[in-house]
Amino acid sequence: MAVFLATTASTAHIGTSFNVSSQTSKTHLFVSPRKNVAQRRIKKLTPLHVAAPRSSSAAAPTSGQKRGEEYRVGDEFGEECSDSKFSWKDHWYPVSLVEDLDPDLPTPFQLLGLDLVLWFDKGRNEWVAFDDKCPHRLAPLSEGRIDENGHLQCSYHGWSFDGCGSCTRIPQAASQGPEARAVQSPKACATRFPTMVSQGLLFVWPDENGQDRASSTKPPMLPDDFEKPEFATVSIQRDLFYGYDTLMENVSDPSHIDFAHHKVTGRRDRAKPLPFKVESRGPWGFGGSNEGNPKISTKFVAPCFYMNKIEIDTKLPIVGEQKWKIWICSFNVPMAPGKTRSIVCSARNFFQFTVPGPAWWQVVPRWYEHWISNKVYDGDMIVLQGQERIFLSKSMESSEDINKQYTKLTFTPTQADRLVLAFRYWLRRHGNNQPRWLSFGVQQSLPSTVLSKQQVYKAYNSSIITTASSKHVHCSVIFHCHFQMLDRFEQHTIKCSSCKQAYKSFQTWEKILIGTTITFTTTAAIPSDIQFRVVLAVLALVSAALAYALHELQKNFVFVDYVHAKID
């Protein structure tokens, strides 16, 4: 998927004992607490500068149409009379949840192909984004450190830079003469990009010369419900090795959840028609909804913000009729060709006690919710990487853009695909068919494809060495490919403050329990009292069992294989 994060997950997954009006409504997967949301919001604004055009709806096909035309749901997306240009550079992009950034370390990040370094300027008390290269010899500043003065220091030759990008120290420069004045040269400055913290997110404007436009533009805003006390709010981020368009297509598609996330946030036997209508569209994005229970309303705010509101009418014992509301707001950030960061912020007004949070009764830890959420990502990962590789091969067969060929390459006969087609139309009509990569060449191979090929080669070679069985070779290749695709540690754990700390704690306690097991085992033979020996032996077994359990649980931070066929 990435993550539509349970746009319509089965309400039976929330509470099967309740009488829910729609047997096929979907529950929401929650993933991490967002603290003091109201304090971190900035003034509410309309997210885009371009007014939406008048609503347009699809014309129903007549019975006399040809069979090929009958199933072309995308016919409603005709050419618009609009000369509005969409600029990929002139927008705020969220690059990380602030709670998952380490203020003591520089953090590398890619945005639209640009290599950035994110760091916290303690002198100005603000997060800063620089071009990730030192002006001296172009070494990556993300490999540097925060020096004693709170400045970003390059690890190659020790040049230091303050939060404005000005060079503050060149250790190799003489104290007098032209070398002493080099620190004041504009050529010695790091390139800084505009930044803003809003709603617990760090936003970057990917144009170093766009400060005026950035200061007059507000970032996309989460719905007001995120500030209301009756809503529990959670968030997660993960780096995904497939492209922006693949992820955006996925979050526009609620119909996949019952199958791709079977027994996680959906059930195969509860799939049903989802007749969506596109109600508005333009350079700003598009919006649409369906009718029924649950009612799903969606809005895509270009270039990367997608909002889903799910409303479920249900009837519960004692309290009676209820209106459950779920928000799933995803930021789908184009990092590089074939690589995207998914940041999902969610809110719901029911079962708040099952969500991590600051209240004493919210006992579910954030890292545990991330275990569940990563199952959602994993359920989509292999499917979407395979889909992306096929689209890539098809695009190489023809010079025509893949978005223009989309309805020829695919078969989309149902209204459930309307929002997917709406996104592909927007990308072709307004988005220049793909993000504007500010550093990468257009023809560069997708990282997901390259990495997968490398992994297959390594897995094949290692399998040849370890076994002569072709069956075992094949299984090993598949396992290694899955491991590379579903690498939770690199894609999420080391970038999540909660999961990283929990993983370290699990490792520490495992070592303690192993030591305890050895201690109990070696001392069990010393006492002459049989009963005391038995007690020590039992304690050794308990410690060993707990150590083994912690060892197995740690896999949730690193890798858990996901095979759809094995989920009954």
Side-chain angles (χ1 to χ4, degrees):
M1 99 173 169
V3 127
F4 193 91
L5 279 190
T7 329
T8 49
S10 164
T11 47
H13 192 69
I14 300 176
T16 54
S17 60
F18 296 144
N19 179 20
V20 182
S21 300
S22 173
Q23 292 292 323
T24 54
S25 58
K26 297 208 104 177
T27 219
H28 174 51
L29 175 62
F30 284 93
V31 282
S32 90
R34 298 180 71 253
K35 305 167 187 173
N36 301 325
V37 177
Q39 297 178 8
R40 298 189 296 188
R41 285 177 66 93
I42 63 173
K43 187 170 65 175
K44 181 78 188 283
L45 76 156
T46 303
L48 291 173
H49 310 298
V50 186
R54 290 178 295 177
S55 299
S56 61
S57 57
T62 63
S63 57
Q65 287 179 303
K66 296 179 181 179
R67 179 178 176 83
E69 295 174 336
E70 180 182 353
Y71 290 104
R72 290 192 63 182
V73 179
D75 284 346
E76 65 203 76
F77 304 114
E79 293 299 316
E80 288 180 341
C81 295
S82 172
D83 294 326
S84 300
K85 300 296 183 181
F86 180 83
S87 172
W88 287 89
K89 291 179 68 175
D90 293 337
H91 292 275
W92 287 108
Y93 291 83
V95 294
S96 179
L97 295 163
V98 174
E99 65 181 317
D100 289 328
L101 288 171
D102 189 341
D104 297 322
L105 296 173
T107 302
F109 188 77
Q110 282 185 304
L111 175 61
L112 292 172
L114 285 173
D115 290 314
L116 305 176
V117 56
L118 314 173
W119 66 284
F120 188 70
D121 180 9
K122 296 180 181 179
R124 300 167 64 94
N125 196 36
E126 65 179 4
W127 285 96
V128 180
F130 285 174
D131 192 357
D132 192 16
K133 63 175 182 285
C134 179
H136 176 214
R137 299 262 292 279
L138 308 184
L141 291 172
S142 57
E143 289 297 322
R145 59 185 284 268
I146 309 301
D147 67 13
E148 295 74 14
N149 298 316
H151 298 165
L152 179 61
Q153 185 180 82
C154 179
S155 62
Y156 198 16
H157 294 93
W159 289 33
S160 294
F161 308 88
D162 64 17
C164 295
S166 300
C167 184
T168 58
R169 183 169 183 259
I170 301 178
Q172 297 79 19
S175 58
Q176 295 180 348
E179 289 189 0
R181 294 191 294 272
V183 73
Q184 302 172 7
S185 171
K187 292 184 177 181
C189 296
T191 301
R192 172 174 174 158
F193 294 89
T195 56
M196 173 188 293
V197 173
S198 173
Q199 310 156 90
L201 294 161
L202 174 61
F203 288 83
V204 173
W205 187 278
D207 183 0
E208 66 272 25
N209 300 315
Q211 184 62 55
D212 291 340
R213 293 192 304 277
S215 59
S216 62
T217 306
K218 300 295 178 63
M221 302 298 296
L222 296 172
D224 291 338
D225 283 344
F226 277 73
E227 294 184 355
K228 296 179 181 178
E230 63 267 27
F231 280 80
T233 59
V234 292
S235 57
I236 189 175
Q237 63 185 21
R238 180 166 168 175
D239 292 344
L240 307 171
F241 281 92
Y242 45 80
Y244 159 84
D245 57 334
T246 303
L247 175 56
M248 281 301 311
E249 179 181 311
N250 179 256
V251 300
S252 304
D253 173 27
S255 64
H256 80 279
I257 293 175
D258 282 316
F259 295 92
H261 310 307
H262 176 60
K263 289 191 175 179
V264 180
T265 59
R267 294 187 68 89
R268 297 178 188 126
D269 58 349
R270 291 178 178 168
K272 69 171 186 178
L274 292 173
F276 280 100
K277 287 185 178 180
V278 177
E279 297 163 343
S280 60
R281 58 189 172 93
W284 60 272
F286 60 84
S289 66
N290 75 327
E291 295 296 335
N293 189 28
K295 178 179 173 58
I296 305 172
S297 303
T298 70
K299 185 177 182 181
F300 166 55
V301 181
C304 64
F305 187 38
Y306 206 100
M307 291 183 288
N308 300 278
K309 181 173 70 171
I310 303 98
E311 297 171 286
I312 305 171
D313 294 322
T314 184
K315 187 174 183 180
L316 305 178
I318 302 176
V319 295
E321 294 184 356
Q322 298 285 307
K323 193 174 190 66
W324 290 349
K325 188 184 293 186
I326 304 166
W327 286 98
I328 302 139
C329 301
S330 62
F331 297 91
N332 311 292
V333 187
M335 299 175 68
K339 188 177 182 183
T340 314
R341 170 161 288 189
S342 168
I343 304 175
V344 179
C345 302
S346 307
R348 71 181 183 193
N349 64 350
F350 58 94
F351 292 169
Q352 293 89 335
F353 61 89
T354 64
V355 179
W360 64 268
W361 43 268
Q362 291 178 302
V363 296
V364 177
R366 185 186 183 212
W367 52 262
Y368 178 78
E369 281 293 340
H370 286 190
W371 286 1
I372 308 301
S373 301
N374 277 316
K375 289 183 180 179
V376 178
Y377 284 109
D378 291 347
D380 284 324
M381 188 73 71
I382 298 170
V383 174
L384 294 185
Q385 282 204 359
Q387 175 194 28
E388 187 170 80
R389 283 194 291 273
I390 293 173
F391 273 117
L392 179 63
S393 65
K394 293 293 184 182
S395 66
M396 291 179 175
E397 295 173 3
S398 171
S399 59
E400 193 176 18
D401 178 71
I402 194 70
N403 295 290
K404 199 168 185 179
Q405 300 181 67
Y406 192 82
T407 55
K408 299 177 183 177
L409 297 174
T410 63
F411 181 54
T412 52
T414 70
Q415 296 181 42
D417 294 317
R418 264 207 170 102
L419 300 178
V420 173
L421 297 173
F423 168 71
R424 286 291 177 179
Y425 172 80
W426 176 88
L427 191 59
R428 175 172 61 87
R429 175 66 175 166
H430 304 293
N432 195 34
N433 297 313
Q434 65 172 328
R436 180 188 173 189
W437 304 115
L438 304 179
S439 179
F440 278 85
V442 175
Q443 300 301 320
Q444 178 170 343
S445 298
L446 298 178
S448 58
T449 306
V450 175
L451 288 172
S452 296
K453 289 179 179 177
Q454 291 174 347
Q455 197 65 45
V456 168
Y457 178 76
K458 291 178 181 178
Y460 180 80
N461 283 333
S462 63
S463 301
I464 291 295
I465 294 171
T466 57
T467 178
S469 169
S470 60
K471 179 180 179 181
H472 290 169
V473 171
H474 176 69
C475 292
S476 181
V477 169
I478 292 175
F479 176 81
H480 280 79
C481 289
H482 280 212
F483 184 87
Q484 186 270 326
M485 293 178 187
L486 307 179
D487 186 353
R488 293 185 183 183
F489 187 79
E490 291 293 333
Q491 297 172 15
H492 172 74
T493 300
I494 62 174
K495 300 175 177 70
C496 172
S497 57
S498 300
C499 290
K500 182 165 59 176
Q501 183 58 47
Y503 181 59
K504 291 179 180 178
S505 298
F506 273 55
Q507 289 180 313
T508 300
W509 277 106
E510 181 187 1
K511 293 175 182 177
I512 292 173
L513 288 168
I514 290 173
T516 303
T517 301
I518 294 172
T519 301
F520 284 141
T521 302
T522 55
T523 57
I526 298 176
S528 57
D529 188 344
I530 298 298
Q531 291 183 343
F532 194 28
R533 289 185 180 182
V534 171
V535 170
L536 291 173
V538 170
L539 290 174
L541 289 173
V542 172
S543 296
L546 290 174
Y548 177 76
L550 285 176
H551 177 76
E552 290 297 304
L553 289 173
Q554 287 175 51
K555 295 178 181 179
N556 289 283
F557 295 114
V558 181
F559 166 77
V560 177
D561 199 9
Y562 200 105
V563 181
H564 288 274
K566 293 183 178 180
I567 304 175
D568 295 329

